Amino acid sequence: MSISTPTPAEQIARSRQRRSPLAVPQSKAWRTILAGVVLLLSLAVVILISLCWGAVSLSRVELWQAALGQGSVINQTIVWELRLPRVVAALVVGSALGMAGALLQGMLRNDLASPTVLGVSSGAGLVALTLFSLGIWPGLIPLGAWFGAVVTTLLVYLLAKQGTRLAVERLILAGVAFSTLFGAIQSILLLFSRESRTQSALNWLVGSLNGRGWSEMQFAGPGIAIALLLGCLLARSVNLLNLGDELAVSLGSPLFRTRCFVGAVATFLAAGAVSIAGLIGFVGIIVPHAVRLMVGNDYRWVLPYSALAGALLLAASDLVARLGAVEIPVGVVTSLVGAPVFIVLLNRSSRPSLSRN
Amino acid sequence: MPLSLQQLSGGYDQQTIVENIDLTIQPGEWLTLLGANGSGKSTLLKLCSRILMPQGGQVILDGKAIHQQPAKAVARRLAMLPQQQLAPSGLTVEQLVTMGRSPHQAWWQWELDTAGLVQVDQAIAWTELEEYRDRPVSELSGGERQRAFLALALAQNPTVLLLDEPTTFLDIHYQLQLLELLKQLNREQGLTIVAVLHEVNLAARYSDRLAFLKQGQLYDVGSPEAVLTPRHLRDVFEVEVALIDTPVGRQICPLAAVLPQAESAPPIASQVVLGV
C-alpha cells in the first residue's frame, strides 16, 4: 500500500505516462477485456475436455460425430445423456453461486458474504437432512431444499426488518442466528440417523454433481437463467449500495426495495444451485473476490464475470473430481482447486488490499 | 423557494431528536447549521436527505414533499455529501463520478448518454480532478477523496447540496480549498447549500446565514453578523468567546468553557473587539 502522496507534478507525469500508447495494455478496459477472453477460452477448453474425458475416452472426431447425432449409439448416449447434462449442471450451478455471492457481497458490503449468510444453506440443509434421515421422499429433496432455502431467507429478512428499514448489520446477524439454530438441528438429525443414510446425507451436504441430469435441470434451470439475467440488470443498484446507505439514498436508490430485490435474486440463484447439487461452499465467497482482483469494483463487470468465473471454477473442479479412480464430491474439489488459485491471485494482485477504505 | 422545512420533527426509532423545525432556505443561499454535539444538526440533515423519515412535518422541495416522492425524482435535484464515505477498492474516480448520473438513468441504461458524459466531465473539471480520473479512489489523500465524492454529488446536477461536516477529516489547507470551491459553485452556479459544520469560524466566513440548533430546537437564524454574538455562543455552545474582526470578516476566539451552572451568571460585561 502506498502511503506517501505524490506531488501534483508527479501525478501529472504519471497520468501522462498512463495515457501514452505504450501504457495501454495496463489500462482498465484492456484488463477487463483480456480477463473476459481468458475466462471464455478456459471455459471452452474445460467443457471440451469434460465431454471427451471419462471412463470411455472420446476423440475430437468421435465427440463431433456424437454431438451431431452420428457415429455409435453408445457414444451418443455418453455425450447427450451423461456428460453434457453434467457439464451443463456444473455451468449452471457455478454461475448461479458466483453471481449470488457477488450480489450479496456488494449489497451487504461484506467481503465474507455468501448465500450462507442469508441462511440459504442452513435452510436447504435442514429440509434435505430431515428427508434424508427419515428416509422418505428422496425424489423431493431438490424441491424441498429449494423451499427450505427460500423460506429461511424470508425469515431472515422478516427478522431483520424494522418498519421500512432494513439494516445490513441486522440482516447479517439474523442470518447468523438462523444458520446456527438450523445447523444445530442438522447435527442432531445426523447423529440420530442410520449410518447408510448419514453417508448419503453427508455427500449431499458437501455437494456433488454425480449423476445430475436433465431432470434436475428442468426444475431449477429456467429459474436460474432468468435470475442470472435479472442479476446483471441489478448491477447499477448494487454499485450504489456498495457506496454505503447515505450515498445510495442520496443517489436515488430506494434502499428497502433494492435490498429486497437483490436478496430475492441472490436467493433464487443459490436455492436453485442447492437444489441441483447440494451445498457447494466456497464458490460464492471466493469467485467474486477473484473477479474484483481482475476487473475492479464496478459491478456492471463484476456480476457477469462472477457468473462466468463461477461456471469455470465448478466445471474445472468437476473435471478434477472425476479424474481419480474414486470420484470425490465436487464441493471438496472447489476448495482444493479454488483456494490455491485464489491465493496466487491475491499474491500477484498489485492492488493494495481488499480492505474497503 | 427550493427547500423548506415545515414543522419538521424526527429522530431514530422512538426517540425524537429534532422537533418542530420551521426553516426556509432561499435559492442560491448557503445556510450552515451550527450547534453543540447532539443538538440535532446531522439528524436534520438526514431528514432532508431522506435517510430518515420524519416523525412529523415535512420537507418541501420545489413545492413537493420529498418523502412522498420517488427516491430518484428527489435525487435529480438534491444531492448529499456524507461525512464519511466508503470507497470500494479498485473503483476509479471516473467510475465513482459516473454513478452520480444514476438518478438520471433508466434501469436499462447501462452506459451514459451525451448529457451524462458532459455533466461527468464538468463535475470532474469543477473539482479539478482531471489528472486523477483513472486513479482508484481508495488511494487518494483525504482532500482529494473528498473532492471526488463532491464530484459524484455534482454529477447529479442538483439544485440543492447537503454537506455533513465535509471538512472534519481534512487539514486546514484542504478545508479552505474545499470550502472555496463550494463557495464558487454557490456563487457561479447558483447551487443552494445546506451544511453542517463544526468549525464556527469557517461557517461564519462562508455562509450567508447561520442556523443555531439547541437541544433539537431552532435557537436562532440569521446572517453571521447578526447571530455571531457572545450570547448566542454561550447559550448554544456554553463557551465564552471574544469576537475578532479579521480580513475575512468577524471571527470568534473561544476563551473558556462555561460550566453548566454558570447559565444563570450575568452576561459578560466586556466584549473584546480587536482590530487587525
Side-chain angles (χ1 to χ4, degrees):
Chain A
M1 183 180 291
S2 74
I3 292 162
S4 66
T5 314
T7 65
E10 276 175 337
Q11 285 160 355
I12 293 167
R14 258 191 224 174
S15 95
R16 284 207 182 122
Q17 203 177 10
R18 190 174 303 204
R19 284 178 195 287
S20 79
L22 280 175
V24 164
Q26 303 211 327
S27 80
K28 206 150 199 99
W30 245 93
R31 220 175 137 141
T32 306
I33 293 167
L34 193 72
V37 171
V38 168
L39 278 178
L40 280 174
L41 280 180
S42 324
L43 199 57
V45 170
V46 168
I47 291 171
L48 267 183
I49 299 177
S50 298
L51 290 177
C52 290
W53 197 90
V56 179
S57 287
L58 300 178
S59 69
R60 259 182 302 167
V61 179
E62 284 170 321
L63 175 66
W64 190 240
Q65 284 177 334
L68 292 175
Q70 297 161 352
S72 76
V73 181
I74 294 175
N75 283 356
Q76 285 183 40
T77 311
I78 288 174
V79 170
W80 282 101
E81 299 302 324
L82 295 175
R83 290 188 191 160
L84 191 63
R86 186 167 173 162
V87 170
V88 173
L91 298 181
V92 168
V93 170
S95 53
L97 290 175
M99 187 180 278
L103 281 170
L104 292 178
Q105 286 180 11
M107 175 179 92
L108 301 174
R109 291 194 299 278
N110 191 312
D111 288 348
L112 288 176
S114 72
T116 320
V117 173
L118 290 188
V120 169
S121 310
S122 54
L126 183 65
V127 175
L129 269 190
T130 310
L131 296 181
F132 270 121
S133 57
L134 295 175
I136 49 171
W137 304 322
L140 280 185
I141 283 169
L143 189 69
W146 191 88
F147 272 108
V150 173
V151 169
T152 312
T153 316
L154 217 63
L155 289 175
V156 167
Y157 262 80
L158 284 178
L159 189 64
K161 186 173 168 287
Q162 292 172 297
T164 54
R165 287 183 62 213
L166 195 61
V168 165
E169 297 76 22
R170 277 182 74 93
L171 261 181
I172 294 176
L173 288 176
V176 168
F178 273 103
S179 295
T180 313
L181 177 66
F182 288 178
I185 302 175
Q186 283 178 37
S187 304
I188 295 173
L189 286 172
L190 268 180
L191 277 174
F192 286 96
S193 56
R194 266 186 256 152
E195 207 162 303
S196 58
R197 289 172 181 168
T198 310
Q199 189 60 39
S200 53
L202 269 179
N203 210 20
W204 187 88
L205 277 180
V206 180
S208 168
L209 287 167
N210 192 8
R212 299 304 193 275
W214 298 121
S215 59
E216 282 89 358
M217 298 284 299
Q218 267 172 0
F219 169 66
I224 289 180
I226 294 170
L228 281 173
L229 209 73
L230 284 177
C232 286
L233 290 175
L234 284 173
R236 285 202 301 116
S237 302
V238 178
N239 266 341
L240 296 189
L241 290 180
N242 205 20
L243 291 176
D245 288 6
E246 294 191 10
L247 269 178
V249 170
S250 167
L251 288 165
S253 170
L255 278 191
F256 181 73
R257 223 191 313 161
T258 318
R259 287 209 174 114
C260 287
F261 207 51
V262 173
V265 171
T267 305
F268 278 116
L269 285 168
V274 167
S275 77
I276 295 175
L279 301 182
I280 297 179
F282 191 71
V283 177
I285 293 186
I286 238 67
V287 162
H289 278 291
V291 169
R292 278 198 296 265
L293 289 175
M294 288 189 287
V295 303
N297 225 321
D298 186 344
Y299 276 80
R300 287 178 302 173
W301 295 106
V302 173
L303 287 171
Y305 276 39
S306 290
L308 260 184
L312 176 64
L313 176 59
L314 208 61
S317 300
D318 191 43
L319 189 60
V320 176
R322 295 193 292 129
L323 277 180
V326 180
E327 192 181 315
I328 338 168
V330 72
V332 177
V333 185
T334 49
S335 309
L336 282 178
V337 175
V341 171
F342 181 65
I343 290 168
V344 170
L345 264 178
L346 204 58
N347 218 14
R348 283 177 51 121
S349 139
S350 55
R351 277 171 215 297
S353 70
L354 285 173
S355 73
R356 296 288 181 91
N357 215 347
Chain B
M1 67 182 84
L3 194 65
S4 162
L5 285 52
Q6 297 178 350
Q7 291 289 305
L8 188 64
S9 303
Y12 300 90
D13 300 325
Q14 303 307 316
Q15 196 188 356
T16 302
I17 292 176
V18 290
E19 249 185 312
N20 291 330
I21 305 280
D22 275 301
L23 189 60
T24 298
I25 295 107
Q26 299 301 329
E29 183 184 25
W30 180 327
L31 180 124
T32 300
L33 302 167
L34 289 173
N37 289 337
S39 61
K41 312 179 293 282
S42 288
T43 308
L44 201 58
L45 212 63
K46 287 192 171 118
L47 284 164
C48 294
S49 65
R50 296 178 84 261
I51 289 161
L52 292 177
M53 286 295 283
Q55 290 162 352
Q58 50 193 357
V59 180
I60 309 281
L61 176 66
D62 294 337
K64 289 178 200 153
I66 60 167
H67 291 88
Q68 264 97 61
Q69 285 182 70
K72 260 182 147 178
V74 178
R76 285 195 280 268
R77 284 167 293 152
L78 185 92
M80 161 106 173
L81 182 66
Q83 186 178 4
Q84 257 183 314
Q85 305 94 1
L86 301 159
S89 60
L91 200 71
T92 65
V93 171
E94 188 171 359
Q95 284 173 323
L96 178 76
V97 179
T98 302
M99 287 182 204
R101 297 304 297 169
S102 297
H104 300 269
Q105 285 173 291
W107 60 269
W108 66 84
Q109 278 177 317
W110 204 254
E111 295 290 342
L112 291 183
D113 51 11
T114 321
L117 288 170
V118 170
Q119 186 70 24
V120 166
D121 280 347
Q122 182 72 75
I124 288 177
W126 274 329
T127 48
E128 292 170 4
L129 285 167
E130 287 101 336
E131 311 294 346
Y132 301 82
R133 275 188 107 104
D134 299 326
R135 298 243 332 245
V137 180
S138 50
E139 289 173 17
L140 299 181
S141 71
E144 292 155 2
R145 190 186 301 188
Q146 195 72 315
R147 291 217 305 276
F149 279 92
L150 175 62
L152 166 73
L154 293 176
Q156 282 174 252
N157 202 12
T159 54
V160 180
L161 179 63
L162 308 175
L163 306 166
D164 191 359
E165 296 176 20
T167 55
T168 302
F169 299 104
L170 305 181
D171 63 33
I172 310 169
H173 174 85
Y174 281 126
Q175 287 185 7
L176 291 180
Q177 193 191 40
L178 185 77
L179 291 172
E180 284 293 339
L181 170 62
L182 287 165
K183 191 72 203 170
Q184 198 186 341
L185 291 165
N186 172 246
R187 286 217 187 97
E188 292 173 8
Q189 311 298 326
L191 184 66
T192 308
I193 293 178
V194 182
V196 168
L197 291 175
H198 263 311
E199 187 62 51
V200 179
N201 280 331
L202 289 175
R205 183 170 163 183
Y206 288 101
S207 315
D208 298 316
R209 278 197 302 161
L210 302 176
F212 281 105
L213 285 175
K214 191 183 176 188
Q215 290 162 2
Q217 309 273 339
L218 195 60
Y219 176 79
D220 200 4
V221 201
S223 68
E225 295 77 29
V227 297
L228 210 62
T229 70
R231 185 170 159 250
H232 279 83
L233 288 151
R234 190 170 56 240
D235 282 353
V236 173
F237 287 105
E238 291 171 354
V239 286
E240 295 295 351
V241 300
L243 296 179
I244 313 166
D245 282 323
T246 74
V248 292
R250 181 166 289 187
Q251 300 275 283
I252 62 158
C253 174
L255 297 175
V258 185
L259 295 173
Q261 63 261 36
E263 256 179 69
S264 54
I268 41 168
S270 61
Q271 175 179 314
V272 189
V273 179
L274 302 171
V276 179

